[in-house]
Amino acid sequence: MLSRRLAEFKLAFLLFTRFPVGRVADFVPAMGASSWAWPLAGLAVSVPASLAYLLLYAAGLGAQVAALGLVAVLALCSGAMHEDGLADMADGFGGGHSKQRKLDIMRDSRIGSYGVLALIFAVAIHVSLIARLEDPALVISAAIGLSMASRGCLPLWLRWMPPARTDGLGRTVKSVSLGNAFVAAAIGFAGLASAGLLPAILALCAVLACGAGVSVLALKQIGGQTGDVMGALQKLSEIAGWAVLAALTGVPL
C-alpha cells in the first residue's frame, strides 16, 4: 500500500510540477489515482513562490514587484501548464465555430490573440490582487492555501465532466474515484485554514463557483473537459480565491 501511494504521489508531482521526483518504477498507477496528491503538488510549487515573494518584499521592491515574483515562480515551478491551458482554451472557445474546430485550435501549439489577451489579463489581475493584501504573512498563507485548494478541487470537476476527446490528458485522468476527489478537496481546504476559518470558507466557495462556471462553459462549448480546460479552470479558480481574500482583507484601492 505504501509503495502504491508513493507512486501516486510521484505521478502527481510529475504531472503538476517540474521538480525531480525520480521515476515511477514497478507499479505505474492510473493518472486519476494520483488525484488525492494534487493539492500536495500545489503546496510544493507555492513554497518557492512564497520565498521569492518574501525576498523581493524584504528587499524593499514593493508589493507589486513581490507579487509579480510570486506569480512568475509559480509558473516556472509548474511548467506554466495552467497558463498554457488558459491560453489554449481562450483561443479555442473564442476562435472556433464548431466543437471540432475549437478542439483543433486548442491542440495547436501556436497562440492567438484571445490566448495572449487571456494571459495578459490573468497575470495582471493575479498580481494586482496579491499586491492588495500587502501583509506578507497573509500573502504567504493565501498563496499556499489557494495553490492547494484550486488543485484539490480539480478531481471533483473531472468526475462531473466527460472527456471532450477520445484521447489526450483529459481522457487519461478521467478515472478519479469519489473517495480521491473528496480527499483532495479536504486537503486543499486544510491548506486554506491558516488564512482564517471564514476567509477560508469564502475563498473555497469562490474556487468552487469559478470551477463550476468554467465547467458549464466547457460543456456548452466542447461537450466536456480536456487538459487545457482543467489547466484554465485551476488558474481562474485560484485567481477567484485571491479576489475574495483581497476583498475581505486587502487595502483600499
Side-chain angles (χ1 to χ4, degrees), residues 119-250:
L119 287 178
I120 291 173
F121 288 132
V123 170
I125 293 170
H126 199 174
V127 169
S128 298
L129 291 171
I130 296 171
R132 280 199 66 195
L133 269 63
E134 284 202 339
D135 179 3
L138 183 56
V139 169
I140 299 309
S141 63
I144 293 173
L146 289 170
S147 182
M148 294 177 66
S150 58
R151 289 166 176 81
C153 290
L154 292 180
L156 295 173
W157 305 120
L158 280 171
R159 281 194 58 84
W160 181 46
M161 287 189 291
R165 291 192 179 102
T166 57
D167 61 350
L169 184 60
R171 184 74 179 181
T172 61
V173 298
K174 179 58 182 172
S175 56
V176 175
S177 69
L178 185 61
N180 273 2
F182 281 122
V183 168
I187 295 174
F189 178 71
L192 274 172
S194 61
L197 182 58
L198 181 59
I201 292 173
L202 294 177
L204 182 63
C205 288
V207 168
L208 289 170
C210 183
V214 174
S215 298
V216 170
L217 177 63
L219 286 170
K220 293 180 66 175
Q221 292 281 326
I222 56 174
Q225 51 81 13
T226 66
D228 287 331
V229 168
M230 300 312 296
L233 193 154
Q234 184 281 323
K235 182 51 58 179
L236 294 174
S237 61
E238 183 178 21
I239 293 172
W242 277 105
V244 167
L245 294 180
L248 289 173
T249 59

Side-chain angles (χ1 to χ4, degrees), residues 1-231:
M1 180 64 71
L2 182 59
S3 61
R4 179 184 293 265
R5 293 292 172 259
L6 180 59
E8 293 167 355
F9 178 84
K10 285 185 176 182
L11 189 58
F13 273 61
L14 289 171
L15 176 63
F16 282 99
T17 79
R18 291 297 188 187
F19 300 142
V21 292
R23 297 177 59 187
V24 180
D26 300 327
F27 169 73
V28 180
M31 195 74 74
S34 71
S35 57
W36 66 269
W38 293 356
L40 299 181
L43 169 63
V45 297
S46 65
V47 169
S50 298
L51 291 175
Y53 174 89
L54 286 176
L55 288 173
L56 293 170
Y57 193 89
L61 297 178
Q64 288 281 351
V65 173
L68 184 58
L70 191 157
V71 172
V73 176
L74 275 177
L76 287 172
C77 291
S78 65
M81 63 176 299
H82 307 293
E83 290 80 4
D84 179 69
L86 175 60
D88 286 343
M89 190 183 80
D91 278 335
F93 289 7
H97 298 292
S98 66
K99 172 185 173 180
Q100 188 56 52
R101 181 55 182 154
K102 293 175 194 291
L103 290 171
D104 289 342
I105 292 173
M106 291 167 68
R107 179 159 279 177
D108 193 329
S109 61
R110 294 169 295 181
I111 187 170
S113 300
Y114 288 109
V116 170
L117 289 172
L119 287 178
I120 291 173
F121 288 132
V123 170
I125 293 170
H126 199 174
V127 169
S128 298
L129 291 171
I130 296 171
R132 280 199 66 195
L133 269 63
E134 284 202 339
D135 179 3
L138 183 56
V139 169
I140 299 309
S141 63
I144 293 173
L146 289 170
S147 182
M148 294 177 66
S150 58
R151 289 166 176 81
C153 290
L154 292 180
L156 295 173
W157 305 120
L158 280 171
R159 281 194 58 84
W160 181 46
M161 287 189 291
R165 291 192 179 102
T166 57
D167 61 350
L169 184 60
R171 184 74 179 181
T172 61
V173 298
K174 179 58 182 172
S175 56
V176 175
S177 69
L178 185 61
N180 273 2
F182 281 122
V183 168
I187 295 174
F189 178 71
L192 274 172
S194 61
L197 182 58
L198 181 59
I201 292 173
L202 294 177
L204 182 63
C205 288
V207 168
L208 289 170
C210 183
V214 174
S215 298
V216 170
L217 177 63
L219 286 170
K220 293 180 66 175
Q221 292 281 326
I222 56 174
Q225 51 81 13
T226 66
D228 287 331
V229 168
M230 300 312 296

